[in-house]
Amino acid sequence: MRLILTRCGRTPILSCADRRTDAWAPNSVTGLGWHERAACRGMGSELFFPEIGDHKRAQAARQVCAGCKVRENCLADALATGTQHGVWGGLSVRERRRLRARSSTPTAA
């Protein structure tokens, strides 16, 4: 099976619903899941999966994320599922790895 990466909120090729977490829970007011309210919904996934070293495209993706009302949900989902590709919640894979490492490092009492 060949895995084709997609972004939630965009036309899926391989459904992102396969990796649901509690962060996907519908909003109690609108009844919509965070992915249905994402600023990136309907945008092409190529922006959010830049080639290694394509800083211009990654920055453009971050700008979309910066104005998104569900950015925290998106990031929480990517962190909870260990997503290893793309810009999610405004952070790259490397940035998410650093965030995970910092949050798992015990603090001195």
Side-chain angles (χ1 to χ4, degrees):
M1 181 174 126
R2 188 173 146 219
L3 177 65
I4 300 173
L5 300 173
T6 65
R7 291 275 302 179
C8 297
R10 293 173 185 71
T11 305
I13 297 169
L14 176 66
S15 174
C16 49
D18 296 335
R19 59 177 192 76
R20 288 179 183 254
T21 66
D22 289 340
W24 281 65
N27 178 291
S28 60
V29 176
T30 65
L32 300 174
W34 70 262
H35 58 287
E36 294 170 320
R37 296 176 284 128
C40 60
R41 183 167 177 83
M43 297 179 77
S45 60
E46 64 280 348
L47 178 64
F48 296 89
F49 293 97
E51 295 293 325
I52 294 173
D54 188 349
H55 303 292
K56 192 174 188 177
R57 188 171 288 177
Q59 185 57 34
R62 286 186 186 93
Q63 288 176 343
V64 172
C65 296
C68 184
K69 294 178 182 180
V70 295
R71 179 179 179 209
E72 290 180 15
N73 300 86
C74 180
L75 179 57
D77 188 63
L79 291 170
T81 59
T83 302
Q84 295 296 309
H85 304 281
V87 175
W88 291 80
L91 298 182
S92 68
V93 175
R94 181 178 290 162
E95 292 165 328
R96 290 192 305 273
R97 251 186 240 131
R98 284 187 205 136
L99 184 61
R100 259 191 241 104
R102 278 197 314 254
S103 65
S104 66
T105 303
T107 56

XYZ file of all heavy atoms in Angstrom:
830
model
N 0.844 -1.182 0.000
C 0.000 0.000 0.000
C 0.881 1.234 0.000
O 1.817 1.331 0.773
C -0.891 -0.003 1.238
C -1.806 1.183 1.299
S -2.926 1.012 2.683
C -2.626 2.557 3.486
N 0.588 2.175 -0.844
C 1.332 3.425 -0.913
C 0.590 4.476 -0.104
O -0.580 4.721 -0.328
C 1.441 3.861 -2.359
C 2.348 5.034 -2.533
C 2.542 5.307 -4.009
N 2.658 6.732 -4.137
C 2.148 7.446 -5.103
N 1.494 6.873 -6.063
N 2.307 8.734 -5.132
N 1.280 5.082 0.852
C 0.673 6.102 1.685
C 0.756 7.443 0.985
O 1.815 7.869 0.569
C 1.391 6.185 3.036
C 0.906 7.254 3.993
C -0.524 6.951 4.419
C 1.807 7.315 5.201
N -0.381 8.086 0.855
C -0.433 9.417 0.259
C -0.844 10.376 1.361
O -1.890 10.220 1.976
C -1.441 9.473 -0.903
C -1.021 8.465 -1.970
C -1.521 10.881 -1.468
C -2.022 8.298 -3.077
N 0.014 11.341 1.638
C -0.237 12.277 2.729
C -1.315 13.288 2.357
O -1.387 13.743 1.241
C 1.050 13.021 3.080
C 2.192 12.136 3.522
C 3.445 12.966 3.683
C 1.852 11.442 4.811
N -2.113 13.615 3.330
C -3.132 14.645 3.145
C -3.185 15.507 4.386
O -2.547 15.212 5.383
C -4.528 14.028 2.930
O -4.900 13.359 4.126
C -4.555 13.094 1.753
N -3.964 16.536 4.340
C -4.218 17.381 5.501
C -5.697 17.311 5.811
O -6.521 17.297 4.915
C -3.886 18.844 5.196
C -2.444 19.142 5.026
C -1.771 19.400 6.286
N -2.419 20.516 6.955
C -2.059 20.971 8.124
N -1.103 20.417 8.762
N -2.676 21.971 8.680
N -6.022 17.290 7.074
C -7.421 17.359 7.467
C -7.933 18.736 7.073
O -7.214 19.717 7.129
C -7.554 17.162 8.967
S -6.995 15.547 9.462
N -9.158 18.800 6.667
C -9.720 20.067 6.240
C -9.554 20.275 4.747
O -10.013 21.248 4.195
N -8.870 19.378 4.080
C -8.710 19.429 2.632
C -9.307 18.167 2.053
O -9.565 17.217 2.776
C -7.236 19.493 2.274
C -6.624 20.791 2.724
C -5.115 20.682 2.486
N -4.461 21.843 3.008
C -4.336 22.102 4.301
N -4.813 21.316 5.198
N -3.717 23.184 4.692
N -9.480 18.122 0.772
C -10.000 16.921 0.141
C -9.046 15.772 0.421
O -7.904 15.792 -0.024
C -10.143 17.121 -1.380
O -10.952 18.265 -1.593
C -10.760 15.906 -2.020
N -9.473 14.789 1.197
C -8.550 13.719 1.559
C -8.347 12.695 0.449
O -9.258 12.400 -0.307
C -9.229 13.078 2.761
C -10.664 13.360 2.588
C -10.755 14.676 1.842
N -7.128 12.198 0.374
C -6.817 11.079 -0.500
C -6.829 9.832 0.383
O -7.466 8.847 0.088
C -5.449 11.265 -1.189
C -5.511 12.504 -2.079
C -5.080 10.034 -1.984
C -4.179 12.956 -2.604
N -6.152 9.894 1.506
C -6.221 8.867 2.530
C -6.847 9.576 3.722
O -6.288 10.526 4.237
C -4.820 8.354 2.876
C -4.741 7.347 4.005
C -5.440 6.055 3.586
C -3.305 7.066 4.362
N -7.999 9.168 4.112
C -8.772 9.898 5.116
C -8.002 10.107 6.405
O -7.460 9.168 6.975
C -10.063 9.158 5.420
O -10.740 9.790 6.469
N -7.975 11.342 6.861
C -7.323 11.648 8.122
C -8.217 11.225 9.280
O -7.802 11.232 10.414
C -6.957 13.117 8.207
S -8.293 14.217 7.792
N -9.446 10.807 8.993
C -10.340 10.324 10.041
C -9.834 9.015 10.643
O -10.260 8.614 11.706
C -11.741 10.119 9.476
N -8.885 8.366 9.976
C -8.327 7.124 10.476
C -7.477 7.332 11.717
O -7.109 6.373 12.362
C -7.470 6.445 9.395
C -8.303 6.029 8.209
O -9.516 5.825 8.371
O -7.732 5.910 7.117
N -7.142 8.554 12.040
C -6.292 8.806 13.198
C -6.947 9.779 14.170
O -6.310 10.631 14.749
C -4.920 9.299 12.763
C -4.956 10.555 11.958
C -3.513 10.966 11.654
N -3.483 12.290 11.133
C -3.630 13.406 11.859
N -3.803 13.333 13.141
N -3.588 14.582 11.293
N -8.230 9.620 14.372
C -8.976 10.514 15.249
C -8.481 10.441 16.697
O -8.127 9.382 17.179
C -10.455 10.188 15.233
C -11.111 10.577 13.966
C -12.569 10.210 13.994
N -13.138 10.539 12.705
C -13.932 11.572 12.497
N -14.253 12.366 13.469
N -14.404 11.810 11.307
N -8.507 11.577 17.347
C -8.209 11.669 18.771
C -9.339 12.453 19.406
O -10.246 12.925 18.725
C -6.883 12.428 19.020
O -7.061 13.783 18.610
C -5.720 11.799 18.286
N -9.284 12.638 20.712
C -10.307 13.440 21.372
C -10.304 14.874 20.874
O -11.295 15.571 20.983
C -10.098 13.435 22.890
C -10.428 12.080 23.493
O -11.155 11.303 22.843
O -9.955 11.801 24.603
N -9.180 15.320 20.318
C -9.099 16.683 19.795
C -10.047 16.881 18.611
O -10.327 18.002 18.228
C -7.670 17.004 19.368
N -10.555 15.788 18.035
C -11.472 15.875 16.891
C -12.904 16.092 17.323
O -13.791 16.238 16.489
C -11.407 14.580 16.085
C -10.248 14.488 15.200
C -8.940 14.421 15.566
C -10.262 14.431 13.785
N -8.149 14.316 14.471
C -8.933 14.318 13.367
C -11.264 14.457 12.836
C -8.587 14.237 12.029
C -10.915 14.358 11.513
C -9.591 14.265 11.121
N -13.165 16.074 18.611
C -14.542 16.170 19.097
C -15.234 17.397 18.528
O -14.639 18.470 18.441
C -14.539 16.233 20.616
N -16.494 17.242 18.134
C -17.227 18.380 17.572
C -17.366 19.519 18.567
O -17.471 19.303 19.766
C -18.595 17.787 17.239
C -18.380 16.329 17.158
C -17.268 16.019 18.112
N -17.376 20.718 18.058
C -17.611 21.917 18.845
C -19.042 21.871 19.362
O -19.963 21.582 18.608
C -17.387 23.142 17.946
C -17.655 24.445 18.637
O -18.794 24.761 18.949
N -16.611 25.193 18.875
N -19.234 22.150 20.646
C -20.571 22.044 21.234
C -21.544 23.075 20.666
O -22.746 22.876 20.691
C -20.490 22.182 22.752
O -19.942 23.440 23.093
N -21.040 24.173 20.138
C -21.909 25.213 19.583
C -22.248 24.926 18.116
O -23.405 24.916 17.722
C -21.262 26.615 19.716
C -22.116 27.667 19.048
C -21.020 26.954 21.172
N -21.213 24.665 17.311
C -21.433 24.494 15.874
C -21.703 23.051 15.468
O -22.277 22.797 14.411
C -20.204 24.970 15.066
O -19.095 24.118 15.387
C -19.875 26.417 15.351
N -21.277 22.093 16.301
C -21.424 20.691 15.954
C -20.380 20.204 14.960
O -20.416 19.077 14.513
N -19.433 21.072 14.596
C -18.391 20.719 13.634
C -17.102 20.344 14.352
O -16.757 20.943 15.365
C -18.101 21.897 12.696
C -19.257 22.403 11.848
C -18.841 23.653 11.089
C -19.729 21.321 10.885
N -16.384 19.366 13.823
C -15.066 19.023 14.352
C -14.081 20.118 13.975
O -14.320 20.897 13.047
N -12.945 20.164 14.671
C -11.971 21.232 14.409
C -11.512 21.222 12.966
O -11.305 22.282 12.374
C -10.780 21.147 15.368
C -9.873 19.985 15.158
C -9.877 18.805 15.835
C -8.817 19.877 14.198
N -8.903 17.977 15.355
C -8.233 18.606 14.348
C -8.309 20.723 13.214
C -7.169 18.163 13.570
C -7.251 20.286 12.432
C -6.690 19.028 12.609
N -11.353 20.049 12.392
C -10.847 19.948 11.023
C -11.813 20.562 10.011
O -11.397 21.003 8.951
C -10.535 18.489 10.680
C -11.706 17.582 10.808
N -12.206 17.195 12.036
C -12.473 17.010 9.878
C -13.242 16.410 11.837
N -13.430 16.280 10.546
N -13.076 20.616 10.357
C -14.067 21.225 9.464
C -14.095 22.747 9.589
O -14.677 23.429 8.756
C -15.446 20.645 9.758
C -15.526 19.166 9.422
C -16.797 18.522 9.920
O -17.235 18.856 11.047
O -17.341 17.685 9.198
N -13.463 23.269 10.650
C -13.413 24.718 10.867
C -12.024 25.293 10.611
O -11.781 26.466 10.835
C -13.836 25.027 12.310
C -15.280 24.651 12.591
C -15.674 24.865 14.042
N -15.100 23.793 14.874
C -14.378 24.007 15.964
N -14.147 25.204 16.406
N -13.895 22.996 16.645
N -11.110 24.461 10.124
C -9.717 24.871 9.914
C -9.586 25.886 8.779
O -10.292 25.806 7.777
C -8.864 23.640 9.622
N -8.681 26.826 8.951
C -8.420 27.844 7.921
C -7.908 27.205 6.637
O -8.094 27.742 5.543
C -7.410 28.869 8.438
N -7.300 26.050 6.746
C -6.719 25.372 5.584
C -7.742 24.525 4.827
O -7.433 23.987 3.766
C -5.554 24.496 6.021
S -6.012 23.217 7.212
N -8.939 24.417 5.335
C -9.959 23.578 4.687
C -10.154 24.033 3.239
O -10.368 25.196 2.955
C -11.272 23.656 5.435
C -12.323 22.737 4.834
C -13.510 22.602 5.772
N -14.544 21.785 5.186
C -14.567 20.454 5.214
N -13.589 19.804 5.801
N -15.556 19.777 4.662
N -10.044 23.079 2.338
C -10.234 23.363 0.920
C -8.976 23.806 0.196
O -8.985 23.938 -1.018
N -7.888 24.030 0.935
C -6.631 24.426 0.302
C -5.872 23.174 -0.135
O -6.045 22.112 0.438
C -5.765 25.235 1.276
C -6.396 26.549 1.695
S -5.342 27.441 2.860
C -4.123 28.079 1.724
N -5.018 23.315 -1.102
C -4.201 22.197 -1.562
C -3.201 21.760 -0.510
O -2.590 22.581 0.161
N -3.033 20.461 -0.355
C -2.140 19.944 0.677
C -0.667 20.198 0.380
O 0.165 20.166 1.287
C -2.385 18.455 0.886
O -2.148 17.751 -0.295
N -0.315 20.480 -0.874
C 1.100 20.680 -1.217
C 1.740 21.826 -0.425
O 2.921 21.797 -0.132
C 1.291 20.893 -2.722
C 0.658 22.135 -3.291
C -0.844 22.015 -3.567
O -1.391 20.912 -3.530
O -1.464 23.071 -3.789
N 0.948 22.823 -0.050
C 1.471 23.943 0.738
C 1.935 23.464 2.112
O 2.935 23.935 2.643
C 0.404 25.029 0.898
C 0.783 26.246 1.737
C 1.926 27.025 1.076
C -0.419 27.137 1.940
N 1.224 22.504 2.678
C 1.481 22.057 4.039
C 2.436 20.873 4.133
O 2.771 20.427 5.219
C 0.152 21.746 4.736
C -0.685 22.984 4.863
C -1.571 23.338 3.858
C -0.546 23.824 5.947
C -2.318 24.496 3.945
C -1.286 24.985 6.048
C -2.169 25.328 5.044
N 2.873 20.387 2.983
C 3.855 19.314 2.933
C 5.003 19.731 2.021
O 5.223 19.154 0.963
C 3.211 18.006 2.437
C 2.214 17.459 3.413
C 0.863 17.711 3.250
C 2.631 16.716 4.502
C -0.055 17.224 4.155
C 1.717 16.220 5.411
C 0.363 16.479 5.243
N 5.747 20.777 2.438
C 6.839 21.276 1.597
C 8.000 20.282 1.523
O 8.192 19.468 2.430
C 7.273 22.557 2.319
C 6.879 22.347 3.738
C 5.639 21.498 3.698
N 8.719 20.359 0.437
C 9.930 19.549 0.295
C 10.941 20.009 1.346
O 10.910 21.152 1.792
C 10.544 19.739 -1.103
C 9.664 19.239 -2.229
C 9.501 17.731 -2.223
O 10.473 17.021 -1.866
O 8.400 17.267 -2.546
N 11.841 19.120 1.718
C 12.878 19.475 2.688
C 13.658 20.674 2.156
O 14.097 20.685 1.007
C 13.818 18.287 2.951
C 13.032 17.173 3.631
C 15.019 18.703 3.795
C 13.799 15.882 3.787
N 13.784 21.693 2.982
C 14.516 22.902 2.601
C 13.670 23.964 1.914
O 14.159 25.047 1.629
N 12.401 23.678 1.646
C 11.517 24.663 1.005
C 10.922 25.574 2.079
O 9.773 25.455 2.460
C 10.416 23.958 0.216
C 9.578 24.913 -0.629
O 9.712 26.141 -0.452
O 8.782 24.423 -1.450
N 11.750 26.474 2.576
C 11.365 27.352 3.676
C 10.285 28.348 3.273
O 9.468 28.754 4.096
C 12.595 28.083 4.223
C 13.658 27.131 4.679
N 13.520 26.316 5.774
C 14.879 26.842 4.151
C 14.595 25.576 5.924
N 15.436 25.871 4.949
N 10.262 28.723 2.019
C 9.268 29.681 1.531
C 7.852 29.085 1.642
O 6.926 29.737 2.125
C 9.589 30.048 0.083
C 8.834 31.222 -0.452
C 9.349 31.575 -1.845
C 8.751 32.874 -2.327
N 9.282 33.261 -3.638
N 7.709 27.858 1.211
C 6.399 27.192 1.280
C 6.012 26.917 2.729
O 4.859 27.089 3.123
C 6.412 25.898 0.479
C 5.028 25.298 0.366
C 5.003 24.150 -0.584
N 5.134 24.673 -1.938
C 5.202 23.930 -3.017
N 5.132 22.633 -2.926
N 5.325 24.465 -4.199
N 6.967 26.498 3.546
C 6.692 26.244 4.963
C 6.238 27.517 5.662
O 5.302 27.492 6.473
C 7.923 25.662 5.649
N 6.864 28.633 5.322
C 6.471 29.907 5.919
C 5.061 30.308 5.482
O 4.282 30.811 6.280
C 7.473 31.009 5.552
C 7.197 32.334 6.236
C 7.178 32.223 7.761
O 7.902 31.434 8.373
N 6.321 32.996 8.397
N 4.729 30.052 4.244
C 3.376 30.352 3.749
C 2.349 29.504 4.505
O 1.271 29.996 4.865
C 3.290 30.100 2.252
N 2.674 28.256 4.773
C 1.779 27.384 5.536
C 1.602 27.923 6.956
O 0.489 27.978 7.482
C 2.323 25.963 5.577
N 2.702 28.348 7.571
C 2.635 28.908 8.923
C 1.753 30.151 8.980
O 1.071 30.394 9.971
C 4.034 29.247 9.424
C 4.839 28.047 9.808
C 6.171 28.476 10.437
N 6.996 27.336 10.684
C 7.910 26.881 9.840
N 8.135 27.491 8.704
N 8.624 25.806 10.144
N 1.772 30.938 7.924
C 0.932 32.137 7.887
C -0.549 31.774 7.869
O -1.358 32.438 8.510
C 1.285 33.005 6.684
C 2.615 33.701 6.850
C 3.023 34.483 5.614
O 2.495 34.276 4.535
N 3.985 35.377 5.782
N -0.900 30.716 7.148
C -2.287 30.249 7.159
C -2.650 29.794 8.568
O -3.698 30.153 9.103
C -2.508 29.100 6.149
C -3.895 28.498 6.303
C -2.292 29.587 4.724
N -1.771 29.028 9.183
C -2.006 28.512 10.532
C -2.109 29.640 11.568
O -2.888 29.539 12.513
C -0.892 27.557 10.947
S -0.787 26.057 9.956
N -1.330 30.679 11.384
C -1.304 31.776 12.360
C -2.675 32.412 12.542
O -3.020 32.837 13.647
C -0.290 32.834 11.935
N -3.472 32.461 11.494
C -4.797 33.065 11.587
C -5.910 32.059 11.808
O -7.089 32.408 11.731
N -5.575 30.823 12.110
C -6.575 29.758 12.240
C -7.123 29.683 13.663
O -6.367 29.662 14.631
C -5.957 28.416 11.848
S -7.154 27.075 11.862
N -8.437 29.584 13.757
C -9.104 29.523 15.060
C -8.933 28.173 15.754
O -9.152 28.070 16.956
C -10.594 29.814 14.900
C -10.873 31.217 14.449
C -12.352 31.449 14.252
C -12.579 32.875 13.752
N -13.994 33.151 13.544
N -8.565 27.146 15.013
C -8.428 25.817 15.603
C -6.976 25.325 15.570
O -6.712 24.130 15.624
C -9.375 24.790 14.925
C -10.819 25.156 15.186
C -9.091 24.683 13.440
N -6.060 26.252 15.534
C -4.634 25.914 15.464
C -4.200 25.009 16.612
O -3.476 24.041 16.411
C -3.810 27.194 15.460
C -2.331 26.952 15.416
C -1.563 28.246 15.391
N -0.144 27.951 15.380
C 0.763 28.734 15.883
N 0.426 29.888 16.416
N 2.019 28.401 15.846
N -4.648 25.319 17.823
C -4.255 24.523 18.984
C -4.775 23.095 18.878
O -4.070 22.147 19.231
C -4.744 25.179 20.271
C -3.993 26.459 20.593
C -4.486 27.117 21.872
O -5.205 26.462 22.657
O -4.154 28.287 22.077
N -5.994 22.918 18.375
C -6.548 21.576 18.196
C -5.725 20.790 17.183
O -5.451 19.610 17.365
C -8.002 21.639 17.718
C -8.888 22.354 18.696
O -8.996 23.568 18.645
N -9.523 21.614 19.577
N -5.359 21.448 16.105
C -4.577 20.829 15.042
C -3.218 20.378 15.582
O -2.793 19.246 15.354
C -4.409 21.835 13.900
S -3.464 21.219 12.496
N -2.565 21.260 16.311
C -1.266 20.931 16.891
C -1.396 19.803 17.901
O -0.597 18.863 17.906
C -0.635 22.160 17.539
C 0.718 21.955 18.203
C 1.741 21.393 17.220
C 1.211 23.258 18.808
N -2.417 19.862 18.746
C -2.627 18.815 19.750
C -2.832 17.460 19.082
O -2.293 16.444 19.534
C -3.825 19.162 20.626
N -3.566 17.444 17.984
C -3.807 16.196 17.263
C -2.507 15.662 16.665
O -2.216 14.466 16.760
C -4.857 16.414 16.181
C -5.278 15.114 15.538
O -5.831 14.255 16.250
O -5.043 14.950 14.333
N -1.721 16.535 16.066
C -0.450 16.117 15.474
C 0.500 15.578 16.543
O 1.194 14.583 16.325
C 0.200 17.282 14.730
N 0.520 16.212 17.701
C 1.381 15.751 18.791
C 0.882 14.424 19.362
O 1.671 13.522 19.630
C 1.453 16.808 19.897
C 2.196 18.091 19.537
C 1.995 19.140 20.621
C 3.672 17.824 19.299
N -0.427 14.302 19.518
C -1.005 13.082 20.095
C -0.811 11.873 19.192
O -0.631 10.757 19.678
C -2.496 13.292 20.364
N -0.817 12.096 17.894
C -0.709 10.983 16.949
C 0.708 10.782 16.429
O 0.963 9.837 15.696
C -1.656 11.185 15.754
O -1.319 12.408 15.100
C -3.105 11.201 16.206
N 1.624 11.676 16.792
C 3.008 11.543 16.346
C 3.194 11.766 14.853
O 4.068 11.165 14.234
N 2.400 12.634 14.270
C 2.476 12.912 12.839
C 3.890 13.333 12.453
O 4.444 14.261 13.029
C 1.463 14.013 12.456
O 0.167 13.570 12.842
C 1.485 14.302 10.978
N 4.473 12.647 11.482
C 5.875 12.845 11.112
C 6.076 13.614 9.818
O 7.190 13.653 9.304
C 6.564 11.482 10.997
C 6.639 10.747 12.318
C 7.499 11.477 13.332
O 8.627 11.855 13.043
N 6.970 11.704 14.506
N 5.030 14.203 9.275
C 5.156 14.923 8.008
C 4.305 16.188 8.041
O 3.239 16.206 8.642
C 4.694 14.051 6.838
C 5.412 12.745 6.761
N 6.680 12.631 6.239
C 5.054 11.511 7.164
C 7.067 11.377 6.323
N 6.097 10.667 6.884
N 4.796 17.216 7.407
C 3.991 18.406 7.182
C 3.967 19.425 8.302
O 4.495 19.214 9.387
N 3.335 20.541 7.989
C 3.132 21.631 8.938
C 1.729 21.455 9.522
O 0.745 21.428 8.798
C 3.245 23.009 8.245
C 2.903 24.138 9.207
C 4.647 23.199 7.670
N 1.656 21.302 10.829
C 0.393 21.124 11.543
C 0.381 22.093 12.715
O 1.349 22.169 13.468
C 0.274 19.700 12.078
C 0.107 18.678 11.005
C 1.088 18.138 10.216
C -1.111 18.081 10.584
N 0.552 17.244 9.342
C -0.806 17.179 9.549
C -2.437 18.210 10.980
C -1.770 16.419 8.911
C -3.399 17.446 10.352
C -3.062 16.567 9.326
N -0.675 22.830 12.885
C -0.758 23.768 13.993
C 0.324 24.822 13.938
O 0.708 25.389 14.955
N 0.849 25.071 12.747
C 1.872 26.086 12.570
C 3.294 25.616 12.842
O 4.229 26.408 12.776
N 3.477 24.338 13.158
C 4.809 23.828 13.466
C 5.234 22.741 12.480
O 4.426 21.912 12.068
C 4.851 23.241 14.880
C 4.556 24.194 16.034
C 4.692 23.470 17.359
C 5.450 25.413 15.995
N 6.516 22.738 12.168
C 7.090 21.714 11.292
C 7.344 20.444 12.104
O 7.222 20.439 13.334
C 8.420 22.214 10.717
O 9.380 22.315 11.758
N 7.743 19.392 11.435
C 8.068 18.130 12.102
C 9.167 18.364 13.139
O 9.066 17.916 14.278
C 8.536 17.070 11.079
C 8.997 15.814 11.778
C 7.431 16.764 10.100
N 10.206 19.064 12.733
C 11.333 19.336 13.637
C 10.877 20.139 14.866
O 11.261 19.830 15.996
C 12.429 20.102 12.899
C 13.639 20.386 13.772
C 14.711 21.099 12.997
N 15.263 20.142 12.043
C 15.975 20.478 10.985
N 16.229 21.738 10.733
N 16.461 19.569 10.184
N 10.039 21.140 14.649
C 9.547 21.952 15.768
C 8.667 21.134 16.709
O 8.746 21.289 17.933
C 8.776 23.158 15.229
C 9.665 24.151 14.517
C 8.888 25.145 13.668
O 7.814 24.795 13.116
O 9.365 26.284 13.550
N 7.861 20.243 16.147
C 7.021 19.387 16.988
C 7.874 18.406 17.786
O 7.580 18.130 18.956
C 5.985 18.638 16.145
C 4.915 19.556 15.579
C 3.741 18.797 15.010
N 4.068 17.812 14.003
C 4.184 18.054 12.703
N 4.008 19.279 12.230
N 4.461 17.075 11.849
N 8.932 17.886 17.172
C 9.850 16.992 17.890
C 10.470 17.713 19.089
O 10.563 17.151 20.180
C 10.963 16.524 16.956
C 10.826 15.097 16.595
C 12.013 14.605 15.789
N 11.485 14.145 14.518
C 11.945 14.460 13.326
N 13.003 15.223 13.198
N 11.383 14.000 12.248
N 10.927 18.933 18.864
C 11.526 19.722 19.964
C 10.508 19.969 21.069
O 10.843 19.876 22.253
C 12.044 21.057 19.440
C 13.323 20.941 18.676
C 13.873 22.319 18.340
N 14.714 22.227 17.167
C 14.703 23.059 16.160
N 13.903 24.105 16.156
N 15.499 22.890 15.133
N 9.285 20.299 20.685
C 8.231 20.561 21.659
C 7.951 19.301 22.483
O 7.829 19.367 23.711
C 6.962 21.030 20.937
C 5.785 21.429 21.808
C 6.160 22.595 22.717
C 4.603 21.809 20.928
N 7.867 18.158 21.817
C 7.648 16.887 22.518
C 8.795 16.594 23.476
O 8.573 16.167 24.604
C 7.516 15.729 21.523
C 6.108 15.319 21.280
C 6.031 14.019 20.503
N 5.346 14.266 19.255
C 5.909 14.368 18.066
N 7.186 14.210 17.899
N 5.191 14.609 16.995
N 10.022 16.827 23.009
C 11.193 16.553 23.841
C 11.193 17.447 25.089
O 11.486 16.982 26.195
C 12.476 16.771 23.051
N 10.856 18.717 24.907
C 10.812 19.641 26.050
C 9.727 19.242 27.027
O 9.919 19.317 28.234
C 10.563 21.074 25.582
C 11.782 21.774 25.101
C 11.594 23.276 25.046
N 10.351 23.698 24.436
C 10.222 24.228 23.228
N 11.293 24.409 22.487
N 9.059 24.589 22.761
N 8.572 18.840 26.519
C 7.468 18.506 27.410
C 7.669 17.174 28.110
O 7.075 16.923 29.139
C 6.144 18.528 26.653
O 6.133 17.509 25.682
N 8.522 16.305 27.569
C 8.765 15.012 28.205
C 9.994 15.030 29.111
O 10.251 14.063 29.812
C 8.912 13.911 27.151
O 10.064 14.127 26.383
N 10.752 16.133 29.104
C 11.937 16.262 29.949
C 11.479 16.597 31.374
O 10.790 17.590 31.583
C 12.875 17.383 29.433
O 13.224 17.080 28.086
C 14.114 17.487 30.298
N 11.848 15.755 32.358
C 11.441 16.042 33.744
C 12.093 17.318 34.249
O 13.237 17.612 33.906
C 11.911 14.828 34.531
C 12.752 14.016 33.616
C 12.643 14.565 32.228
N 11.358 18.069 35.027
C 11.907 19.294 35.607
C 12.434 19.007 37.004
O 11.926 18.142 37.717
C 10.817 20.398 35.688
O 9.711 19.871 36.428
C 10.356 20.804 34.302
N 13.444 19.756 37.389
C 14.037 19.600 38.728
C 13.110 20.198 39.766
O 12.507 21.233 39.561
C 15.400 20.290 38.781
N 12.973 19.507 40.896
C 12.094 19.983 41.961
C 12.776 20.966 42.858
O 13.912 21.086 42.984
C 11.577 18.805 42.783
